[in-house]
Amino acid sequence: MQAMAGQRWTGVYTAITTKMDARQEVDLAAVRADVAFQIENGVDGIICCGSIGEASTLTADEKMAIAGAVKEAAGGRPVLLTVAEDSTRAAAALAERAAAAGMDGLMLLPAMRYVSDRRETIQHFRTVARATGLPIMVYNNPIAYSVDITPEMFAEMADEPNFVAIKESSGDIRRITDILNTVGDRYDIFTGVDDLALESLMLGAVGWVAGLVCAFPRETVAIHKLVAAGRIPEALEIYRWFMPLLHLDVSLRFVQNVKLTEAIVRGTSTVVRQPRLELQGAERDRVETIVRTALAKRPDLAKYGV
């Protein structure tokens, strides 16, 4: 069965951080400015309120306010709201609200906290899908959430027309090929691991849900475009420069790492919502050194013509 008629997602989708003021309140003006910066620099879509967006600390009302601000600033690019709730009931309710608010799609996770088995996981995804008409990107990240959505499970769920894409973040590069061998082109596959992105794109992923794109959108987009054009050696040049930065997204402190990187590169806020705290001491020094070293060696993208 093919994906939802007419719905294809490809390219670089920015998983934005949630900008906050000094009181740890959501700064919607800064969210809009953030999205405008991403769109101006060529990204193909925006995903809000994900793990990097501190979803676990946001209320449903805050998520809807953020999604609305993102939609306003996205210039017609697809906007996906992340649905990562503690219960299937709450996830379905948020999905319904997202549809009513005119979102373009959802990125859907297993239910949080409780580690579901195969039957429970599939039932969760089916229930949420049937609560909305929106197309859905299914997010698989067993490292973070202890639930693995296997290629065989994707084959079983292929009869749900709302499921159009997969964000593959298992950390196992073999999984891209296993999915394609199991379900063919039924889903658009996005890589969700920054420091496996080039490998994933070369193996058949059509998109990249990126984190360090928050600070470096042009470089992220350039890599994707070069791979799509078959210009792998040139993509590899940028990727090797980018790799120390991309490693910052694969860390328990990835939110703080990316927000600090954004602050150094763009002057945005480093404020995170507790229980997270901003980096300090040796942790902060390490990130600052990585970012400033990368900036000093930043590639001239003009020579690639993308």
Side-chain angles (χ1 to χ4, degrees), residues 102 125 129:
F125 281 113

Side-chain angles (χ1 to χ4, degrees), residues 19-71:
K19 300 300 183 290
M20 297 185 181
D21 63 24
R23 299 173 301 147
Q24 300 175 35
E25 297 295 334
V26 176
D27 184 343
L28 292 178
V31 169
R32 293 186 189 93
D34 194 22
V35 173
F37 171 78
Q38 294 295 318
I39 298 302
E40 288 166 7
N41 283 281
V43 305
D44 299 287
I46 303 290
I47 299 178
C48 60
C49 305
S51 306
I52 201 169
E54 300 176 74
S56 62
T57 72
L58 300 172
T59 66
D61 287 344
E62 286 177 321
K63 291 174 183 178
M64 291 308 306
I66 292 165
V70 172
K71 183 70 174 173

Side-chain angles (χ1 to χ4, degrees), residues 103-123:
M103 294 301 105
D104 299 295
L106 306 174
M107 184 169 74
L108 177 60
L109 279 70
M112 299 291 98
R113 303 190 190 213
Y114 176 71
V115 179
S116 54
D117 65 16
R118 176 189 179 107
R119 181 173 63 94
E120 292 167 327
T121 300
I122 291 174
Q123 183 62 43

Side-chain angles (χ1 to χ4, degrees), residues 1 123 178 233 258 296:
M1 181 173 180
Q123 183 62 43
D178 288 341
V258 173

